[in-house]
Amino acid sequence: MCKVSVLVPIYNVERYLRQCLDSVVNQTLKDIEIICINDGSTDSSPDIIREYAEKDSRIRVIDKENTGYGHSMNCGLKLAQGEYIGIVESDDFAELNMFETLYNTAKEVDAEIVKSNWFKQIGNEAIPVKRNHNSYGQIFSPRIQNPNIFYGGIAIWSAIYKRIFLQKNNIYFNETPGASYQDVSFFFKTLACSENIVLTKDAFIHYRCDNPSSSVKSKEKVNCIFDEFKEIERFLQNRTDIKNTCEYIVEQFKYGCYLFNYNRIDDIFKFEFFERMANEFMQDNANGYIDKRYWSENNWNDIQTLLNNKKEFFYKKYEQTQNK
């Protein structure tokens, strides 16, 4: 068993792959394995992977047909042998002390998850993203002691996860074919199940977002976010130990995710997406899941508008997207 298994999902990312792999193979924590999952790339990514694997025996390669992000990540999780699991997306890169720092922090308190801040990488500029939490350095259970962590950005790659914790809770990625946003349900499951997570103010991952305002123009991908919340619902149905609390937490988390995706999708899909979103929240409200105690004031006012006057809510949000 090595200390950390670093999963690197790869699909047609030749432009950034060398920088990504350089940042992983040169980590100050040497006792790691690097699992590169090539999801049927058609560019020079496979050649780059082989080049690095020939030079570093810690690199393990999975070559497979293009089956999507969720399946790639699950292949990596099943192969991993590390005490902890880390993730570096192939168009991102990590500070060289990332896994040593997170691993040492985890071992000090036997944490299931250690989660850090990150950088937004726009061109050559790294902009720190720091979440406002009052729980830095403390050990806590997110669903019980600090539900706000669910609403602070998904960023599953800014953390390490104890492998036995993921296995014990049967936490894997959703494998909807061709889907996007498959980090959403994984993120929620890990926080919902964790009894001892630690947050650190340090930032390590450089998350590349050179085109953060790009819209989603593929009809196949527009509704993928709904599949992630179906997966969360399925997961909670089998977990009566956490279901009662998480049913309320998931609603504001869902609202934030849906609104984020509504703002990104192409205009021709907005009304159809909104109708499905609104109907879902109306059903959740009828089931008694929307509880003011779990909502911020602004989001609570918004969801009340949606529930009481769909038309007003739709035009308000649509106008906001046009003014950006």
Side-chain angles (χ1 to χ4, degrees):
M1 181 189 292
C2 61
K3 291 179 178 177
V4 179
S5 296
V6 183
L7 309 187
V8 186
I10 298 164
Y11 178 70
N12 286 354
V13 71
E14 60 185 4
R15 179 180 177 186
Y16 302 114
L17 186 53
R18 290 182 185 278
Q19 185 178 25
C20 170
L21 292 179
D22 284 341
S23 77
V24 179
V25 299
N26 292 308
Q27 285 288 307
T28 57
L29 181 66
K30 301 304 180 185
D31 188 13
I32 63 176
E33 65 173 354
I34 303 158
I35 302 177
C36 294
I37 310 106
N38 173 36
D39 189 28
S41 296
T42 56
D43 64 358
S44 66
S45 295
D47 296 328
I48 296 171
I49 299 167
R50 282 192 291 270
E51 175 190 328
Y52 277 77
E54 288 171 2
K55 297 176 182 178
D56 195 324
S57 61
R58 299 173 301 171
I59 296 177
R60 308 172 73 185
V61 181
I62 299 174
D63 276 311
K64 64 183 188 68
E65 295 180 358
N66 179 241
T67 51
Y69 181 85
H71 181 253
S72 292
M73 295 301 291
N74 286 341
C75 288
L77 287 174
K78 290 170 184 175
L79 185 65
Q81 297 178 350
E83 185 181 358
Y84 284 84
I85 303 288
I87 301 165
V88 180
E89 303 283 357
S90 51
D91 55 350
D92 299 338
F93 60 98
E95 293 289 308
L96 299 185
N97 65 336
M98 174 176 178
F99 292 110
E100 181 175 23
T101 304
L102 297 186
Y103 179 80
N104 288 341
T105 301
K107 291 299 288 183
E108 286 175 5
V109 294
D110 193 28
E112 294 166 335
I113 303 172
V114 179
K115 192 166 181 63
S116 68
N117 286 316
W118 64 92
F119 299 97
K120 281 186 177 180
Q121 190 72 26
I122 302 177
N124 294 321
E125 183 181 9
I127 304 169
V129 176
K130 293 190 176 181
R131 297 156 298 162
N132 294 319
H133 285 297
N134 57 3
S135 302
Y136 284 118
Q138 302 175 23
I139 309 168
F140 65 95
S141 169
R143 74 178 185 278
I144 296 172
Q145 294 161 293
N146 190 357
N148 286 332
I149 190 177
F150 284 88
Y151 319 127
I154 293 174
I156 61 170
W157 26 257
S158 68
I160 60 171
Y161 310 86
K162 199 168 191 177
R163 183 164 61 93
I164 195 171
F165 157 75
L166 297 178
Q167 293 173 336
K168 180 181 71 174
N169 289 283
N170 199 29
I171 296 174
Y172 291 97
F173 286 79
N174 193 15
E175 292 188 11
T176 310
S180 298
Y181 315 118
Q182 290 173 328
D183 53 352
V184 172
S185 59
F186 180 85
F187 168 82
F188 188 89
K189 293 173 192 175
T190 56
L191 294 191
C193 292
S194 180
E195 301 295 342
N196 55 340
I197 184 174
V198 175
L199 305 181
T200 173
K201 287 184 179 180
D202 298 326
F204 298 101
I205 281 283
H206 293 254
Y207 168 60
R208 203 179 296 279
C209 47
D210 291 337
N211 192 14
S213 62
S214 62
S215 61
V216 176
K217 300 180 184 297
S218 166
K219 184 173 177 59
E220 290 73 25
K221 292 188 177 183
V222 164
N223 293 323
C224 289
I225 189 65
F226 296 111
D227 295 327
E228 288 299 290
F229 282 91
K230 284 183 180 178
E231 170 61 14
I232 290 172
E233 182 179 344
R234 180 206 64 78
F235 184 79
L236 291 179
Q237 289 301 320
N238 296 322
R239 290 297 302 266
T240 55
D241 55 325
I242 63 174
K243 182 175 182 287
N244 289 342
T245 300
C246 289
E247 280 178 334
Y248 301 108
I249 293 174
V250 75
E251 292 300 318
Q252 182 170 210
F253 176 62
K254 180 194 295 188
Y255 177 77
C257 289
Y258 282 5
L259 203 60
F260 174 80
N261 285 282
Y262 171 83
N263 289 336
R264 294 180 66 234
I265 62 178
D266 201 64
D267 282 355
I268 61 173
F269 303 125
K270 285 190 184 297
F271 184 74
E272 179 184 349
F273 183 94
F274 169 76
E275 277 292 306
R276 185 168 176 181
M277 166 183 164
N279 290 338
E280 197 167 302
F281 278 113
M282 287 180 175
Q283 184 60 56
D284 291 346
N285 187 52
N287 291 336
Y289 297 150
I290 297 181
D291 188 322
K292 187 175 183 178
R293 292 173 298 173
Y294 294 89
W295 290 70
S296 69
E297 183 177 354
N298 287 340
N299 285 348
W300 178 254
N301 292 336
D302 272 358
I303 199 66
Q304 293 307 303
T305 301
L306 183 151
L307 294 172
N308 295 309
N309 192 329
K310 281 201 309 183
K311 186 175 181 180
E312 177 186 340
F313 181 91
F314 173 76
Y315 282 115
K316 176 184 175 182
K317 294 303 178 185
Y318 182 78
E319 188 176 297
Q320 287 174 354
T321 64
Q322 302 308 299
N323 292 333
K324 287 186 177 180

